[in-house]
Amino acid sequence: MLGLRTVIYPVADLAAATAWYQQVFQTAPYFEQPFYVGFSIGGFELGLVPDGQPSLDGQVVYWGTGDIESEVERVRVLGAHIVAPVTDVGDGIRVASLADPFGNVLGLIENPLFDAAQVR
């Protein structure tokens, strides 16, 4: 196993979700088709698919940030609502969860212990 590569979020409105996530991650998709939209985020992939059932239950994927407080506020202003506020989970690691406008959980993490050199 090489580790995390792609996270897929199902959405009902692919065009609206593409526009929203383009604002959230401040980058355009590198792949855009009617069946899949792919964003390259820090070497990993966020994929949007126009089928499946969005849910706040189940897995939460945490996207890294260097300033979780401002990032939570910025994403909230873009239309997400807070599911779990910023919480210190120990050793300087802080997490928060937001619900995107399409019914998925968007996790954010500020982790000073994360070693990007370990990503393969």
Side-chain angles (χ1 to χ4, degrees), residues 61-116:
V61 175
Y62 289 93
W63 296 93
T65 178
D67 182 354
I68 197 165
E69 299 282 349
S70 359
E71 215 42 36
V72 165
E73 181 58 16
R74 187 181 71 79
V75 175
R76 188 194 63 74
V77 167
L78 289 172
H81 71 270
I82 296 171
V83 173
V86 175
T87 304
D88 187 324
V89 295
D91 292 336
I93 301 168
R94 301 185 322 148
V95 298
S97 297
L98 299 102
D100 75 10
F102 314 98
N104 296 293
V105 175
L106 176 66
L108 298 177
I109 185 167
E110 181 180 312
N111 182 352
L113 306 177
F114 179 78
D115 181 0

Side-chain angles (χ1 to χ4, degrees), residues 13-94:
D13 185 335
L14 191 59
T18 299
W20 193 79
Y21 275 100
Q22 190 165 338
Q23 290 180 40
V24 168
F25 286 107
Q26 301 174 331
T27 189
Y30 77 91
F31 184 85
E32 194 167 357
Q33 295 293 321
F35 58 88
Y36 185 86
V37 174
F39 292 86
S40 179
I41 311 298
F44 301 98
E45 180 158 337
L46 166 63
L48 303 176
V49 293
D51 53 8
Q53 183 63 43
S55 174
L56 297 181
D57 299 325
Q59 297 82 9
V60 177
V61 175
Y62 289 93
W63 296 93
T65 178
D67 182 354
I68 197 165
E69 299 282 349
S70 359
E71 215 42 36
V72 165
E73 181 58 16
R74 187 181 71 79
V75 175
R76 188 194 63 74
V77 167
L78 289 172
H81 71 270
I82 296 171
V83 173
V86 175
T87 304
D88 187 324
V89 295
D91 292 336
I93 301 168
R94 301 185 322 148

